[in-house]
């Protein structure tokens, strides 16, 4: 166990959905003495102050990290290399540098070279999120009952890893540690491919004529609406994920393509048994999700009526 | 306006999610004098009595329809031809025969030939549902704020169509009338393709080794869980839909395949701009769904905590 607060001063670089949720959660649970932040836009910095997400905000990440014993990068992964280069020389001795990025090999590749020897680099990824973005989208419960994955490079200080794990546990998460390459392969299946597919199907519908698109929205309760929700996620964040987990994504996509071709053929030739068998074998995985308490819940009624 | 009850006696053939929800809804709103039913299994018939879904139940559809001024087929569409052949001779003069099936051209093809001249055949489809099945899954609010589509063949009695429309409006739905072929094309995009894709991606994951599948469930909150929910829908119902809307489904699937190939290529060649543009253009459709009040709502927290 670590005494609370676990960290004296945490710096968030990027204050969007994840950064703001983390700030609210660590403050609620008294895990961090002070939260400071850095964001690109004046609007986000002002909102962070107004909502009490940060006690101080900066435009320059190098300034923001000063005196912090935990620096958490919470911006799209495509911004990491530049941020790391800027902050590297300003990181406090003995501090931990971590992040929440959705890919991990690329983060180690981009950030690793800029981390001074006296700083512990422990990349991480909370498997939690919504389709919303920005500092106003955050809520303190986001990480409860969710897994946080840490991917410390070989040789990382064990105490630093444990200290960071304690922070994630403190906000309600379970923590798993694994190799970055394994992380990227698993997440390609559980997160990156689903988002790619959702973007694609909504894009297919967006190619329809205008009046047909209106019908698609009108009759979307038959299944399509769920895909539009997933495809509402931030375009820049997802562009960066696909650019930075190319190999693993292309690999699962290849397998998906083979599977859909098989179903396509079964539909074309009217092979009812093949279809039914395929549709039946997906049930065990749904059960697994429910048993792992990772299902969330969908209310088919409209929000204002629920 | 029609006086209430709009129908004296409604017969449900099939008492699953849709049949049970319809029974609860028409009873709540006083739209039907009496609801009787027919289901294959003794267990479903008993449940229908126990839950007050039907005042009488039968194993034989021909017996169930006796004296009814509305017969609503609520079983998987693959069962329709046989059911229609059985009940045709027993339908009451001037009564309405309708259904809730997710495809409409095939229903007209399969049922039409067995409808006597003195019966009004008005096929329908409520665009409402969940991934759950069976008589215990129903709830009276299922159809509120949802569209119900009617596809009466040319020459159908206008009063019969209006009477049926009044029933759906009475349970809270908006009603649209269209040609069966148009219905099947629109629903292929908004419902059938999304389900096919969801089944496929969960099936792709189900091909992984056992321990990898466990990881997929564990880390499913990154997007995959939504697909498992959709793919939890009844395998027989969906087999029948794909077998009976082959042409329209294969057509949208072909377009989906082209679109995913384009994204695949953009990922392979690192074309960030193409990805970002694609991800951005899907937002308007999400907005359309929300504005059409068809979004439902997802709660990322676990049900027992919400
Ligand atoms: N959303 C999810 O579901 C989810 C889940 C797990 C992990 N993640 C990861 O978490 C990270 C953040 O995602 P998010 O959803 O919180 O994103 P978001 O809501 O879009 O917020 C991104 C934040 O990063 C800031 N930013 C962008 N470029 C920057 C730069 N060059 N320097 C400093 N700040 C910069 C933005 O500032 P402005 O507001 O001023 O533009 C904004 O505050 C991503 O790496 C993503 O992969 C996301
Ligand atoms: N679920 C949705 O989201 C949704 C939405 C709109 C429309 N629909 C359409 O609604 C219909 C029913 O769907 P559902 O979700 O309510 O299905 P469900 O929950 O699986 O129930 C199907 C019902 O049909 C009965 N049945 C099956 N074969 C039969 C037969 N040969 N004769 C008499 N009864 C038979 C079943 O009886 P047992 O219980 O005894 O097996 C059961 O009561 C389908 O045509 C579907 O396309 C579904």
């Amino acid at each position: 166990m670590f005494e609370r607060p676990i960290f004296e001063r945490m710096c968030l670089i990027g204050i969007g959905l994840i950064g703001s949720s983390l700030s609210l959660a660590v403050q609620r649970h008294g895990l961090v003495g002070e939260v400071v932040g850095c964001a690109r836009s004046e609007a986000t910095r002002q909102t962070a102050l107004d909502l009490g997400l940060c006690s101080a905000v900066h435009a320059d990440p190098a300034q923001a990290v000063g005196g912090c014993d935990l620096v958490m990068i919470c911006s799209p992964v495509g911004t990491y290399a530049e941020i790391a280069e800027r902050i590297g020389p300003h990181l406090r001795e003995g501090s931990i540098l971590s992040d929440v990025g959705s890919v991990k090999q690329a983060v180690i590749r981009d950030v690793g070279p800029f981390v001074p020897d006296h700083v512990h680099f422990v990349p991480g990824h909370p498997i939690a999120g919504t389709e919303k973005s920005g500092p106003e989208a955050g809520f303190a419960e986001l990480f409860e009952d969710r897994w946080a994955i840490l991917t410390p490079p070989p040789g990382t200080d064990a105490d630093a890893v444990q200290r960071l794990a304690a922070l994630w546990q403190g906000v309600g998460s379970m923590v798993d540690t694994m190799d970055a390459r394994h992380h990227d392969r698993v997440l390609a299946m559980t997160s990156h491919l689903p988002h790619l597919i959702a973007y694609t199907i909504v894009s297919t519908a967006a190619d329809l004529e205008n009046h047909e698109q209106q019908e698609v929205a009108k009759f979307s309760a038959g299944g399509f609406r769920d895909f539009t929700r997933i495809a509402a996620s931030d375009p820049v964040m997802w562009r960066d994920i696909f650019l930075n987990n190319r190999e693993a994504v292309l690999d699962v996509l290849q397998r998906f393509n083979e599977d859909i071709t098989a179903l396509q053929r079964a539909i074309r030739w009217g092979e009812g048994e093949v279809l039914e068998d395929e549709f039946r074998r997906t049930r065990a995985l749904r059960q697994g999700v429910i048993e792992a308490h990772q299902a969330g819940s969908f209310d088919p009624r409209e929000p204002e009526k629920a």
Side-chain angles (χ1 to χ4, degrees), chain A:
Chain A
M1 271 306 283
F2 295 90
E3 251 178 74
R4 293 185 177 197
I6 302 174
F7 294 96
E8 287 166 32
R9 193 192 215 181
M10 171 171 82
C11 177
L12 299 171
I13 300 183
I15 316 167
L17 169 71
I18 302 294
S20 63
S21 295
L22 188 58
S23 173
L24 294 171
V26 300
Q27 292 188 60
R28 173 181 289 185
H29 298 286
L31 301 169
V32 167
E34 186 189 358
V35 183
V36 300
C38 155
R40 254 183 332 187
S41 70
E42 171 60 29
T44 296
R45 293 195 296 273
Q46 191 57 51
T47 305
L49 292 177
D50 292 347
L51 299 179
L53 302 172
C54 300
S55 58
V57 287
H58 300 267
D60 180 359
Q63 268 190 303
V65 301
C68 293
D69 53 349
L70 174 62
V71 172
M72 191 68 93
I73 311 181
C74 300
S75 54
V77 293
T79 65
Y80 278 28
E82 203 186 314
I83 290 171
E85 186 170 10
R86 284 284 298 140
I87 64 176
H90 304 271
L91 294 169
R92 177 174 143 182
E93 183 160 351
S95 68
I96 295 177
L97 174 63
S98 186
D99 78 305
V100 298
S102 307
V103 300
K104 300 267 63 83
Q105 290 177 102
V107 163
I108 293 174
R109 176 198 70 202
D110 290 352
V111 174
F114 300 106
V115 184
D117 285 342
H118 61 255
V119 168
H120 307 294
F121 177 39
V122 189
H125 179 203
I127 314 302
T130 76
E131 71 282 10
K132 310 239 166 67
S133 316
E136 285 165 326
F139 54 101
E141 301 85 9
L142 179 62
F143 308 108
E144 287 177 13
D145 303 316
R146 297 289 166 254
W147 287 90
I149 298 177
L150 302 181
T151 62
T156 306
D157 179 63
D159 185 70
V161 175
Q162 277 182 27
R163 190 172 284 271
L164 187 64
L167 184 88
W168 285 111
Q169 284 157 354
V171 298
S173 295
M174 293 86 68
V175 175
D176 220 344
T177 300
M178 63 177 74
D179 166 77
R181 184 179 151 83
H182 184 67
H183 167 280
D184 288 357
R185 292 184 59 81
V186 173
L187 269 290
M189 183 71 234
T190 59
S191 178
H192 308 169
L193 181 62
H195 276 82
L196 188 69
I197 297 298
Y199 277 121
T200 306
I201 196 169
V202 180
S203 170
T204 303
D207 282 334
L208 297 170
E209 308 274 326
N210 226 333
H211 67 280
E212 284 184 298
Q213 277 191 48
Q214 274 168 24
E215 280 192 311
V216 167
K218 202 165 145 181
F219 304 129
S220 61
F224 186 73
R225 64 174 167 200
D226 299 293
F227 290 77
T228 65
R229 186 172 58 73
I230 301 168
S233 301
D234 188 64
V236 171
M237 164 182 157
W238 281 100
R239 176 200 67 191
D240 285 0
I241 290 172
F242 292 116
L243 293 178
N244 286 288
N245 197 20
R246 180 157 62 178
E247 218 182 293
V249 169
L250 290 176
D251 178 53
V252 288
L253 180 53
Q254 177 59 32
R255 285 189 271 143
F256 171 86
N257 279 335
E258 288 165 17
D259 293 340
I260 201 146
T261 301
L263 284 177
Q264 185 171 18
R265 189 174 297 130
I267 293 174
R268 191 179 301 286
W269 298 104
E271 296 169 352
E273 235 174 284
V274 174
L275 294 174
E276 193 184 334
D277 286 351
E278 275 301 305
F279 299 166
R280 223 174 266 291
R281 65 196 282 272
T282 59
R283 306 202 127 186
L285 250 169
R286 174 64 180 171
Q287 207 44 45
V289 170
I290 292 170
E291 281 163 16
H293 301 289
Q294 299 301 314
S297 69
F298 185 75
D299 188 333
R301 295 168 299 174
E302 286 310 291
E304 67 270 24
K305 301 205 124 195

